Amino acid sequence: MSLKETLEAKIEGWRPRTSRLVKEYGDVKISDVSIGQAIGGARGVKMLVTDISYLDPNEGIRFRGYTIPETLAMLPKVPGREMPYVEGHIWLLLTGEVPTEAQTLELVEDLKRRRGLPDYVKAALRALPSDTHPMAMFSAGIVAMERESEFVKAYNEGLGKMDYWRPTLEDALNLWAKLPELAAFIYRLKYKNDEQIPADPSLDFGGNFAHMMGIPEPYDDVARLYFILHSDHESGNVSAHTGHLVASALSDVYYAASAMIDGLAGPLHGLANQEVLRWIQGVMEKMGGAEPTEEKMKEFVWETLNSGQVIPGFGHAVLRKTDPRYMEQRNFCLKHLPDDPIFKYVDMLYKVVPPILEEQGKAKNPWPNVDAQSGVIQWHYGLREYDFYTVLFGVGRALGVMSNIVWDRALGYPIERPKSVTTAMLEEAAGIA
Ligand code: CMX
């Protein structure tokens, strides 16, 4: 079966489950909200539904029920390479099924046909001031393509609500196909004198991205691993939630993806991966490039904390153990770049930071998250412009966010509209005179 047929069958089977829950069990409580949660960023409030991934605080993420090692082992691999096709992962996220080799290759070819960055996007990006952050360029490049939306055309022609997911899937496939090219275009425009490398039609999603970046093997596998690891982290994180929220107004995926990129660009979220490298450079400079001693490293960590800053790459709003995305990248480093000096710094931080955060007693999770380890791999393979790193996160995160939006449309989720209260109402609820 094709992707669309598989998805159609899944959606038809799923709809009765959602409608039954709403019609017969709509009043069953799954969460109560405290004052602390209302002021504290809705932490732990269960108010979003997704079947695409689930984040267990101790175990970490599962994509469609599969752990990261299971996902990487099950998906069809690119011949001669270590990592699976990103396209196979898209299939898994969308349908919940592990695709066959033939199904994966069909999607590889489908996405190839949808490639090609419009000239007006290139012109718009070239017109931006040269100090524009790559995340602002990425967001602008995506929203500039909004005029291509198939959903908007179909909606204006009066398409029925139950079919909204079909043009939304078309939009998602079109945008997914263009994101690696958009990212590589921004990289080469900003850092390589706009010397662009044309796409290679023989290559898959990750392979073509590495080729257009101008970075040789095994960077293609780094790209595949990176996009898969960052694809989804259930729905409450800032980027995923933003994408869902914006799309709930029936804004198309171009608006939703651009907005989710804006959320990802914050230093407490995706931008932490550039912050880690910037921070480590500071440590290295202080140590005159010498290998860090544990004592010196501890001093630097305390200095950062005492100046009121967070240690980038550590802590998490949901996770309470080391992030398995961190571990997967650490395993990659141990295999491919065990002697890299920055990896040695990062690995020493893994030893030094958690006990210090525990001693400080503020962070609920002292362990490293995905961002602590991702920059070092990019640096090692020659991508030294660390303010570009979050764009890579964004290409990956778009896979999960847009898969969710397709399902939001398929299940007819309504516009999101939680209720706010005033401070006086909270004081009244608390019994404060
Ligand atoms: N370094 C220092 N202090 C930290 C910390 C860290 N890495 N992580 C948490 N804390 C502090 C918080 O700032 C907070 O302090 P205040 O009470 O003074 O405000 C306190 O510990 C409690 O925070 P928490 O409940 O443990 O964490 P939150 O859920 O509020 O925030 C996160 C989660 C990720 C924003 C936070 O851990 C952080 O700022 N980490 C560093 C930035 C980072 O790596 N972000 C990337 C996360 C992954 C991603 O989304 O990409």
Side-chain angles (χ1 to χ4, degrees), residues 13 23 66 87 89 94 113 125 131 151 155 173 207 211 221 228 282 291 346 380 406 433:
K23 279 195 194 120
Y66 300 110
E87 292 87 337
H89 188 59
L94 276 172
R113 284 191 291 275
L125 293 174
D131 61 352
F151 172 76
Y155 182 84
L173 291 167
H211 160 77
D221 264 344
I228 291 172
E291 277 218 2
V346 168
H380 180 84
V406 172

Side-chain angles (χ1 to χ4, degrees), residues 307-337:
S307 68
Q309 297 169 59
V310 295
I311 308 296
F314 285 78
H316 200 272
V318 178
L319 278 167
R320 292 296 173 258
K321 288 268 163 68
T322 297
D323 191 337
R325 301 172 298 174
Y326 173 93
M327 288 314 286
E328 198 62 46
Q329 294 184 95
R330 183 168 184 269
N331 291 341
F332 186 94
C333 291
L334 286 171
K335 182 167 178 194
H336 293 278
L337 43 125

Side-chain angles (χ1 to χ4, degrees), residues 376-409:
V376 61
I377 304 180
Q378 300 297 332
W379 185 275
H380 180 84
Y381 291 108
L383 212 168
R384 304 264 160 113
E385 300 84 357
Y386 50 73
D387 56 357
F388 185 75
Y389 292 173
T390 317
V391 174
L392 303 170
F393 194 153
V395 175
R397 184 49 53 92
L399 307 178
V401 166
M402 289 197 273
S403 299
N404 270 292
I405 295 172
V406 172
W407 273 93
D408 291 350
R409 297 274 198 267

Side-chain angles (χ1 to χ4, degrees), residues 65-105:
Y66 300 110
T67 62
I68 287 171
E70 286 166 354
T71 304
L72 295 176
M74 285 177 336
L75 291 173
K77 299 259 185 322
V78 180
R81 315 298 303 131
E82 259 179 67
M83 294 296 158
Y85 285 103
V86 174
E87 292 87 337
H89 188 59
I90 293 177
W91 186 295
L92 173 68
L93 293 178
L94 276 172
T95 67
E97 286 183 5
V98 179
T100 62
E101 179 111 13
Q103 287 173 322
T104 306
L105 292 177

Side-chain angles (χ1 to χ4, degrees), residues 119-187:
D119 284 340
Y120 63 83
V121 175
K122 298 178 185 172
L125 293 174
R126 285 186 173 118
L128 292 171
S130 62
D131 61 352
T132 306
H133 193 280
M135 284 297 272
M137 297 173 84
F138 197 40
S139 173
I142 293 170
V143 84
M145 288 188 275
E146 193 278 330
R147 63 187 288 285
E148 313 284 338
S149 173
E150 296 292 327
F151 172 76
V152 170
K153 279 182 217 139
Y155 182 84
N156 289 341
E157 284 163 11
L159 184 75
K161 189 174 172 182
M162 286 296 103
D163 287 322
Y164 282 174
W165 70 270
R166 296 176 194 278
T168 301
L169 176 65
E170 288 301 313
D171 281 354
L173 291 167
N174 286 333
L175 187 49
W176 279 327
K178 291 176 173 62
L179 286 181
E181 290 185 56
L182 174 59
F185 177 84
I186 290 169
Y187 178 72

Side-chain angles (χ1 to χ4, degrees), residues 40 43 230 233 237-239 264 266-273 275-276 305 309-318 320 323 325 353 357 360-367 369-372 393 397:
R43 204 70 86 257
H230 289 82
H233 220 223
N237 63 81
V238 170
S239 51
L264 193 65
L268 295 187
H269 190 17
L271 205 78
N273 62 9
E275 293 302 288
V276 170
L305 289 175
Q309 297 169 59
V310 295
I311 308 296
F314 285 78
H316 200 272
V318 178
R320 292 296 173 258
D323 191 337
R325 301 172 298 174
V353 173
L357 286 178
Q360 194 204 26
K362 274 170 58 172
K364 293 189 189 69
N365 172 31
W367 301 104
N369 60 59
V370 65
D371 297 317
F393 194 153
R397 184 49 53 92

